[in-house]
């Protein structure tokens, strides 16, 4: 469903339901995006095992005035003994 979503509103209107929350995706569209992200990173040595779970952690630090910050952390987990792939953006 998110793959068909078009976000055309001002980001300033978006608010998290809590100061921190997590969203877990196992749908084919999210996993395909995660697989492409892993393929684009040349530092990932093992491309054989695709991600099975994508978890997005969103955290909104306390308001300091000005633009509202948002911290996004993605875990792309293959459900193997290896650590999940981690991507963090502020």
């Amino acid at each position: 469903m998110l793959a068909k979503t078009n976000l055309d509103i001002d980001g300033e209107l978006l608010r998290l339901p809590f100061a921190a929350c997590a969203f877990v995706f196992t749908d084919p569209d999210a996993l395909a995006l995660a697989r492409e992200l892993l393929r684009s990173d040349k530092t990932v040595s093992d491309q054989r095992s695709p991600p099975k779970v994508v978890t997005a952690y969103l955290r909104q630090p306390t308001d300091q005035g000005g633009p509202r910050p948002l911290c996004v952390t993605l875990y792309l987990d293959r459900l193997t003994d290896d650590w999940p792939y981690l991507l963090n953006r502020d």
Side-chain angles (χ1 to χ4, degrees):
M1 190 166 51
L2 287 175
K4 308 291 186 233
T5 301
N6 184 10
L7 184 62
D8 59 355
I9 63 172
D10 188 341
E12 199 54 33
L13 298 174
L14 295 175
R15 296 192 189 282
L16 295 179
F18 303 99
C21 56
F23 300 94
V24 179
F25 301 97
T26 57
D27 63 281
D29 289 327
L31 296 177
L33 289 170
R35 192 168 38 253
E36 289 304 314
L37 180 62
L38 284 177
R39 281 190 190 138
S40 70
D41 188 341
K42 302 303 181 208
T43 65
V44 176
S45 59
D46 181 13
Q47 296 288 341
R48 295 172 292 166
S49 179
K52 305 275 193 268
V53 178
V54 176
T55 306
Y57 294 92
L58 305 171
R59 187 174 55 83
Q60 200 152 34
T62 54
D63 191 2
Q64 303 292 325
R68 193 173 325 123
L70 181 64
C71 302
V72 179
T73 303
L74 294 178
Y75 288 90
L76 310 182
D77 199 343
R78 297 173 176 181
L79 300 179
T80 64
D81 291 336
D82 296 328
W83 285 84
Y85 182 86
L86 173 68
L87 178 67
N88 191 49
R89 295 289 185 263
D90 290 330

